[in-house]
Amino acid sequence: MSESPATRKPAALDWTQWLCPGPRRVFAAEELARAGTQAWPRGIDHYVYGNALMMLLIFSAELPEGWGLPVLLLSLGAAAGALGVARWLWRQPSRLRLNLASWLLTLVFLLGLLLYQGWGHPVPMLPLLVVTGALVTALSAWWFLTLYRVQQIEARLAELGEQARSLSLARRLAAAQIQPHFLFNTLASLQHWVDTQDSRAGPTLRSFTRYLRATLPMFERDALSLTDELAIVRSYLEVMQARLGERLNWELRAEPGLDALLLPPGALLTLVENAIAHGIEPSLRGGRIELQVLAEHGQVLIEVRDDGAGLVGTPCDGVGLANTRARLAQLHGDQARLEVLPQQPGCLSRIILARNP
């Protein structure tokens, strides 16, 4: 039960932020690696160096004669040092790093001021104000940069977590998508064949059992090898062969050396199920399904071709194809694509992968 605004207690004041400001979030090395390395914004370099030169031009008239070049070099060196610390914080932002850099810079500033006074030189007020302003600006910039970077990494980790949850949901959707009518129709056929002592009952039951053993747990995995995928498809086609009889012919062909190719679980099964449901079953004469896997021109082509009823209208993604596309992108990125093309007769579904994704 959430508290109402009237009863909610005010947040306790964090006194440590007065001495050690910065975000409390600490990222583990695994989190930083998972979030990836975002490029350092080079525009920050241009902004800092440009401002350093601008400030030097503004106050150049106040400098003693002969001090122009030393002050220029000192300003550019200080800007480069501040940017170096900023990049250090960018790579691994943390409260500890921020405060180490801030206290070290403040200590160097105070020591330099004391040494300058110890040499018997009076400290001019205007240069002192300029240097103090530059110090405060550098500390503030580091603080804002660290906060921004922490929020950026947190947002990236949250995005990756959401993608992982979406992928998990897609796998569960795919698991739930194992066609209920296929299961019930197969069980009904098996029951009839057992009752009538049909010789198809035994082989079909074995194929159906292999199919269930392979498909029910497979969607808990992120990927399956091509060998495992083809075994699942083979069991499915054996069951459908028993049910459809002479109306279905099929063939699986795969080039050697591609057994370890990784695919989203159920990717090939979805393509073959679509070929059966939309090509073979609606056709009175039935048809033939050919699944072939071959490598050519640095790519792997996985093709599911049928000569059944063919596509009606413009090809569009149903839930199964949409899930397959999303899971291919999650597993292989832009190195994989799925195409569905009309044929005369029938339809061609094709997955194209880089040879070594």
Side-chain angles (χ1 to χ4, degrees):
M1 181 177 179
S2 60
E3 296 180 350
S4 65
T7 59
R8 188 177 299 134
K9 294 180 180 179
L13 182 62
D14 186 1
W15 293 100
T16 62
Q17 290 290 335
W18 290 92
L19 295 176
C20 298
R24 288 186 172 275
R25 181 73 160 89
V26 178
F27 297 105
E30 295 79 9
E31 290 179 309
L32 291 173
R34 184 165 175 256
T37 304
Q38 288 79 27
W40 167 259
R42 297 306 299 266
I44 295 179
D45 295 354
H46 303 153
Y47 178 80
V48 171
Y49 286 125
N51 274 273
L53 292 174
M54 184 64 66
M55 294 297 294
L56 186 61
L57 287 175
I58 292 174
F59 293 104
S60 60
E62 304 295 332
L63 295 175
E65 186 176 352
W67 280 48
L69 182 59
V71 171
L72 173 63
L73 296 176
L74 182 63
S75 300
L76 294 179
L83 287 170
V85 173
R87 288 192 183 91
W88 181 61
L89 293 171
W90 179 269
R91 288 191 297 271
Q92 189 172 345
S94 69
R95 190 180 188 185
L96 176 61
R97 285 193 168 204
L98 172 63
N99 284 277
L100 282 176
S102 299
W103 283 107
L104 183 59
L105 179 61
T106 304
L107 181 61
V108 169
F109 170 74
L110 294 177
L111 286 176
L113 185 61
L114 291 175
L115 288 175
Y116 189 82
Q117 288 179 330
W119 291 337
H121 300 294
V123 180
M125 183 57 64
L126 182 59
L128 178 61
L129 291 176
V130 172
V131 174
T132 303
L135 172 69
V136 173
T137 300
L139 296 179
S140 301
W142 289 345
W143 183 76
F144 279 112
L145 178 72
T146 304
L147 287 180
Y148 168 79
R149 183 67 174 137
V150 165
Q151 292 176 357
Q152 184 186 47
I153 294 175
E154 285 181 331
R156 178 57 179 162
L157 291 174
E159 179 185 0
L160 291 174
E162 185 61 33
Q163 289 178 1
R165 286 189 290 272
S166 298
L167 181 60
S168 176
L169 178 60
R171 287 201 298 264
R172 293 178 183 177
L173 264 174
Q177 200 188 334
I178 295 176
Q179 301 179 18
H181 73 267
F182 165 70
L183 301 180
F184 292 131
N185 289 345
T186 302
L187 288 173
S189 297
L190 283 171
Q191 182 179 3
H192 173 69
W193 293 337
V194 169
D195 291 341
T196 58
Q197 297 183 352
D198 194 302
S199 60
R200 291 175 290 179
T204 305
L205 181 58
R206 286 190 288 273
S207 297
F208 188 52
T209 301
R210 286 197 302 269
Y211 171 83
L212 291 178
R213 283 176 177 169
T215 55
L216 292 181
M218 74 178 179
F219 293 103
E220 296 302 320
R221 299 171 58 182
D222 293 329
L224 286 181
S225 68
L226 176 64
T227 299
D228 292 337
E229 279 282 311
L230 290 177
I232 293 170
V233 170
R234 184 180 299 275
S235 298
Y236 171 77
L237 287 173
E238 287 173 351
V239 173
M240 294 305 300
Q241 175 78 73
R243 285 181 46 202
L244 296 177
E246 295 181 355
R247 293 183 59 216
L248 173 63
N249 292 295
W250 56 271
E251 182 181 4
L252 303 184
R253 298 192 305 272
E255 286 189 6
L258 300 176
D259 296 346
L261 180 72
L262 294 180
L263 294 170
L268 298 190
L269 179 61
T270 297
L271 301 185
V272 173
E273 284 178 338
N274 281 347
I276 294 285
H278 302 293
I280 306 303
E281 288 185 327
S283 174
L284 293 177
R285 62 175 177 82
R288 177 179 176 82
I289 291 179
E290 294 181 359
L291 191 159
Q292 65 174 352
V293 184
L294 62 153
E296 60 180 30
H297 308 301
Q299 293 180 323
V300 176
L301 302 181
I302 305 173
E303 297 182 341
V304 177
R305 188 188 307 268
D306 72 82
D307 60 357
L311 297 175
V312 178
T314 303
C316 61
D317 284 3
V319 176
L321 289 179
N323 280 339
T324 302
R325 288 185 195 278
R327 292 184 295 130
L328 275 171
Q330 183 73 20
L331 186 60
H332 293 295
D334 57 3
Q335 294 182 318
R337 69 180 186 271
L338 169 61
E339 301 175 344
V340 179
L341 307 172
Q343 302 287 292
Q344 292 297 330
C347 177
L348 169 63
S349 300
R350 177 168 40 191
I351 294 176
I352 304 174
L353 300 171
R355 181 66 175 86
N356 294 306

